């Protein structure tokens, strides 16, 4: 177990290599800043260093220092259940404002300390020392300590919690055993070492890992990784005790919620990377207008709401014509995956899974599914926006090869059902485009449309369905969440020993080129053996009234309500 950590102020030795690579134009300024900060360098220092080497502007443009105070902002979003935050499978704004996170990945995709003051990693990335920020207080006045952080990490890694964080941390924090339950093999997990999470003092703890992993600070901002009050046992309710800027004070499932400003917020007046922190608003009301974006755009036009996301691209042009509104867009790794259960016939046969990919014309699905508001995907869930992306020869439609594989698998006329939702419209449009294209290969797909309220409780259970996946800053994070064997969000039940081994190796590689070569092999495995059909990456659109000050578009569509204010 590694324990070699640097003295305060010293950089990880690989930062020197990153500087050389940036100077020699082997990596981009963006990749330098992202990697250097993951290794413990402050974002301010990383941007300044990159600026000196490249001559580019040293730091992102700061927001206005003075913001008006007061008022209630009314925004639009889906109102989902929030009872068990660590097992949340939806980014619930009420959770994200009642609680804070140990880190925060900002709109520039750079991860900075939040409840942590700093971190440092050993040379081999096996020991991570985390310094908790002094002076952080829960709403009830109790100080947040290393004990609170340790309890939360242990709770997220407990099988009984059902947290997707387990999928991110499994390879470096846990051992896995298989036990018999009712005659079936069931995977159980436990910390790999009794000292895997080590308390150093009241404000310091260490993660002593069994494998290297570069992205640990980003894992700590995965949206189920909120820092809860251990005294509440991992369950949230209205009035729960957190450290966040806007605790939830009222909630009506599927209709509305209200959060009111914490006027004793520990971060008020600080700049943690997104501008000077308030909260400036008195309260935030969130109303649920459903999945139909036209209802949202109508509410925006009438000034009933100040903003929200746009998922029906026919509404973008309408919002752009409103003089009081600004439309934002960002290229991200947001997508929809069509996938089959690899433990359920006929999708247990890799020939059938590959035939579905070969029967697909991604550009055609892009045009119909999202009206071209994005880019074609390559059936491997790694986006060109990911720094670990590796470009492969394009995976093109081949109807004859799809027919051959289906016949070889014993399914020359395949009958199947696609489970999807009516809204957002692009999911149903995508399913219909696939249904039509697949007919040429002898695939007869029936579409079963579910209300969202019925779809999400069963999203991992459908034999074949479409599932939306949001942005993650690294490809290895997405692949670990969705396809690593035996993890909670592996909706397809996919299991490939070679894939798991290479993914675990890639997660700990510092050199971008070396990591990209490993990701190349992961992409190849997905295209040949994987469970998915992926046609497009979706650009993220949102629209906000110009009276809402301080808004910036986050690639994962997170709100930073503590930075927003109301103008006249």
């Amino acid at each position: 177990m590694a324990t070699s950590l640097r003295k305060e102020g010293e950089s990880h030795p690989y930062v020197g290599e990153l500087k050389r690579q940036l100077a020699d134009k082997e990596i981009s300024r963006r990749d330098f800043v992202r990697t250097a900060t993951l290794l413990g360098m402050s974002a301010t220092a990383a941007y300044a260093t990159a600026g000196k080497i490249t001559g580019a502007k040293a730091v992102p443009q700061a927001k206005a220092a003075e913001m008006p105070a007061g008022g209630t902002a009314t925004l639009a979003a889906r109102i989902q259940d929030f009872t068990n935050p660590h097992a949340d499978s939806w980014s619930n704004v009420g959770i994200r404002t009642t609680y804070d996170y140990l880190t925060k990945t900002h709109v520039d995709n750079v991860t900075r300390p939040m409840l942590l003051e700093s971190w440092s990693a050993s040379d081999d990335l096996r020991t991570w020392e985390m310094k908790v920020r002094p002076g952080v207080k829960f709403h009830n006045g109790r100080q947040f300590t290393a004990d609170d952080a340790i309890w939360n990490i242990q709770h997220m890694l407990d099988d009984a919690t059902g947290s997707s964080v387990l999928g991110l941390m499994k390879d470096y924090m846990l051992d896995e055993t298989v036990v018999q339950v009712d005659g079936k093999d069931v995977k159980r997990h436990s910390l790999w070492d009794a000292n895997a999470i080590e308390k150093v003092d009241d404000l310091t703890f260490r993660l002593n890992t069994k494998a290297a992993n570069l992205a640990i600070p980003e894992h700590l901002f995965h949206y189920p990784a909120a820092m809860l009050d251990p005294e509440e046992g991992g369950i949230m309710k209205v009035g729960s005790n957190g450290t966040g800027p806007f605790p939830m004070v009222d909630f009506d499932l599927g209709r509305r919620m209200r959060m009111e400003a914490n006027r004793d917020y520990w971060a008020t007046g600080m700049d943690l990377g997104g501008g000077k922190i308030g909260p400036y608003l008195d309260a935030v009301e969130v109303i649920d207008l459903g999945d139909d974006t036209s209802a949202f755009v109508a509410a925006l036009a009438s000034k009933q709401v100040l903003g929200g996301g746009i998922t029906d691209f026919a509404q973008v042009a309408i919002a752009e014509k409103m003089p009081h509104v600004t439309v934002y867009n960002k290229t991200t790794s947001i997508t929809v995956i069509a996938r089959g259960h690899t433990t359920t016939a006929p999708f247990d046969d890799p020939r059938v899974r590959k035939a579905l990919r070969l029967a697909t014309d991604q550009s055609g699905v892009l045009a119909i599914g999202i009206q071209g508001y994005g880019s074609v995907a390559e059936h491997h869930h790694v986006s060109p926006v990911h720094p670990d992306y590796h470009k492969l020869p394009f995976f093109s439609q081949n109807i004859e090869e799809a027919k051959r594989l289906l016949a070889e698998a014993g399914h020359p006329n395949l009958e199947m059902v696609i489970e999807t939702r009516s809204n957002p419209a692009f999911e149903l449009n995508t399913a219909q485009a696939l249904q039509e294209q697949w007919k040429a290969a002898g695939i007869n797909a029936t579409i079963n449309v579910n209300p969202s309220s019925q779809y999400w409780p069963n999203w991992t259970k459908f034999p074949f369905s479409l599932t939306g996946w949001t942005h993650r800053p690294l490809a290895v994070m997405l692949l670990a969440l969705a396809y690593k064997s035996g993890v909670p969000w592996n909706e397809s039940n996919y299991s490939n020993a070679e894939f798991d081994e290479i993914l675990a190796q890639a997660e700990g590689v510092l050199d971008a080129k070396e990591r990209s070569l490993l990701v190349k092999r992961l992409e190849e495995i997905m295209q040949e053996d994987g469970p998915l059909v992926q046609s497009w990456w979706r650009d993220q659109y949102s629209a906000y009234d110009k009276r809402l000050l301080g808004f910036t578009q986050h690639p994962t569509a997170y709100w930073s309500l503590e930075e927003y204010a109301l103008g006249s």
Side-chain angles (χ1 to χ4, degrees):
M1 187 180 299
T3 56
S4 175
L5 291 165
R6 274 155 300 292
K7 296 178 181 177
E8 187 172 349
E10 292 181 344
S11 296
H12 191 281
Y14 196 74
V15 171
E17 173 62 13
L18 290 172
K19 292 177 182 178
R20 183 201 65 76
Q21 291 177 357
L22 180 61
D24 292 345
K25 299 182 179 180
E26 295 178 10
I27 60 173
S28 67
R29 173 175 173 267
R30 179 190 69 172
D31 289 343
F32 171 84
V33 173
R34 289 192 68 256
T35 307
T37 51
L38 289 175
L39 292 173
M41 194 177 195
S42 75
T44 301
Y47 273 111
T49 300
K52 289 178 182 178
I53 293 173
T54 65
K57 187 174 181 179
V59 295
Q61 184 175 356
K63 296 178 184 176
E66 298 300 324
M67 298 281 269
T72 297
T74 302
L75 302 171
R78 297 309 310 270
I79 307 299
Q80 305 286 337
D81 182 43
F82 61 87
T83 306
N84 184 0
H86 283 166
D88 194 26
S89 58
W90 188 276
S91 180
N92 190 311
V93 64
I95 294 172
R96 300 188 63 80
T97 61
T98 296
Y99 307 104
D100 288 309
Y101 292 73
L102 292 175
T103 65
K104 183 173 183 178
T105 303
H106 285 263
V107 296
D108 56 359
N109 257 334
V110 172
T111 300
R112 296 167 171 85
M114 188 67 176
L115 293 178
L116 294 179
E117 184 176 48
S118 64
W119 63 79
S120 60
S122 60
D123 295 0
D124 62 1
L125 304 184
R126 290 279 310 281
T127 300
W128 291 75
E129 186 163 282
M130 308 293 188
K131 296 280 190 180
V132 173
R133 194 181 296 275
V136 174
K137 293 188 295 183
F138 284 97
H139 301 148
N140 66 2
R142 185 172 68 82
Q143 182 168 312
F144 181 86
T145 68
D147 287 321
D148 296 305
I150 290 169
W151 181 90
N152 275 272
I153 295 171
Q154 290 174 332
H155 187 254
M156 289 184 286
L157 295 180
D158 187 336
D159 285 320
T161 302
S163 177
S164 59
V165 175
L166 186 148
L168 294 175
M169 296 187 173
K170 172 184 171 182
D171 285 338
Y172 62 89
M173 290 298 292
L174 300 173
D175 279 337
E176 184 176 84
T177 56
V178 178
V179 298
Q180 284 280 311
V181 178
D182 297 328
K184 297 181 180 179
D185 287 345
V186 177
K187 293 181 178 180
R188 294 283 186 256
H189 300 92
S190 59
L191 290 175
W192 79 280
D193 186 90
N195 207 34
I197 307 174
E198 174 191 2
K199 179 182 176 181
V200 177
D201 57 43
D202 287 346
L203 294 177
T204 311
F205 67 97
R206 288 180 184 153
L207 300 181
N208 298 306
T209 69
K210 71 173 182 178
N213 194 300
L214 174 63
I216 289 175
E218 289 179 336
H219 294 174
L220 297 174
F221 191 56
H222 179 43
Y223 56 75
M227 291 292 107
L228 314 180
D229 181 356
E231 295 177 4
E232 295 183 339
I235 301 301
M236 183 183 175
K237 60 184 184 300
V238 171
S240 275
N241 187 40
T243 65
F246 283 93
M248 187 191 301
V249 298
D250 192 19
F251 180 88
D252 188 354
L253 180 65
R255 297 185 63 190
R256 60 183 293 276
M257 70 171 71
R258 179 178 174 87
M259 294 88 73
E260 294 183 353
N262 171 15
R263 291 304 178 195
D264 195 26
Y265 187 44
W266 62 270
T268 297
M270 301 173 67
D271 186 344
L272 300 178
K276 190 177 179 182
I277 291 175
Y280 303 102
L281 298 167
D282 292 328
V284 177
E285 294 269 0
V286 182
I287 59 175
D288 190 333
L289 297 172
D291 287 323
D292 185 357
T293 300
S294 63
F296 160 67
V297 172
L300 187 67
S302 64
K303 301 186 179 181
Q304 179 186 359
V305 299
L306 288 169
I310 299 179
T311 56
D312 180 351
F313 299 103
Q315 302 294 321
V316 172
I318 298 173
E320 287 176 333
K321 293 177 182 177
M322 298 179 189
H324 67 289
V325 167
T326 299
V327 174
Y328 301 83
N329 76 290
K330 188 179 282 286
T331 300
T332 72
S333 62
I334 297 175
T335 189
V336 161
I337 297 298
R339 57 79 187 155
H341 267 184
T342 59
T343 52
T344 303
F347 312 112
D348 56 346
D349 191 322
R351 294 170 296 185
V352 172
R353 304 196 297 263
K354 187 175 182 182
L356 293 173
R357 292 189 283 275
L358 288 165
T360 302
D361 170 24
Q362 298 103 299
S363 61
V365 181
L366 171 70
I368 294 171
I370 58 173
Q371 292 82 58
Y373 282 88
S375 58
V376 294
E378 304 163 75
H379 302 305
H380 53 53
H381 212 159
V382 180
S383 167
V385 305
H386 289 134
D388 34 4
Y389 168 81
H390 193 101
K391 187 172 179 60
L392 297 177
F394 189 70
F395 192 106
S396 300
Q397 185 183 46
N398 187 332
I399 296 296
E400 292 307 312
E401 179 63 9
K403 287 181 175 180
R404 187 191 69 80
L405 286 173
L406 288 170
E408 186 180 288
H411 299 283
N413 296 291
L414 178 64
E415 300 283 335
M416 61 177 289
V417 176
I418 303 174
E419 302 281 351
T420 188
R421 302 183 292 158
S422 57
N423 282 300
F426 61 75
E427 291 192 14
L428 180 55
N429 293 343
T430 295
Q432 291 172 338
L434 293 172
Q435 177 191 48
E436 189 62 31
Q437 287 185 5
W438 290 350
K439 289 178 182 178
I443 302 166
N444 182 29
T446 301
I447 298 174
N448 185 35
V449 181
N450 300 264
S452 293
S453 60
Q454 295 178 18
Y455 182 89
W456 284 115
N458 298 295
W459 72 287
T460 61
K461 302 172 186 176
F462 295 123
F464 194 97
S465 68
L466 268 67
T467 303
W469 282 84
T470 193
H471 173 82
R472 298 297 186 291
L474 287 174
V476 291
M477 291 179 67
L478 270 173
L479 299 177
L481 285 167
Y483 309 106
K484 187 179 291 183
S485 297
V487 301
W489 280 7
N490 185 340
E491 55 175 325
S492 62
N493 298 330
Y494 184 64
S495 182
N496 181 304
E498 182 189 3
F499 179 89
D500 290 346
E501 181 180 351
I502 295 175
L503 177 57
Q505 184 180 351
E507 288 172 326
V509 171
L510 280 166
D511 184 82
K513 288 183 178 179
E514 183 182 347
R515 188 169 65 251
S516 179
L517 289 174
L518 292 169
V519 171
K520 174 188 176 184
R521 180 57 190 148
L522 296 174
E523 294 171 357
E524 292 170 342
I525 292 172
M526 285 284 100
Q527 288 186 346
E528 185 65 26
D529 180 67
L532 71 161
V533 175
Q534 185 196 12
S535 300
W536 48 255
W537 301 103
R538 175 170 69 85
D539 290 349
Q540 182 195 120
Y541 280 83
S542 61
Y544 289 86
D545 192 299
K546 293 175 182 177
R547 290 174 295 161
L548 185 70
L549 307 179
F551 175 82
T552 50
Q553 179 92 329
H554 194 282
T556 319
Y558 294 149
W559 286 334
S560 293
L561 299 181
E562 68 277 11
E563 299 173 11
Y564 301 167
L566 272 180
S568 57

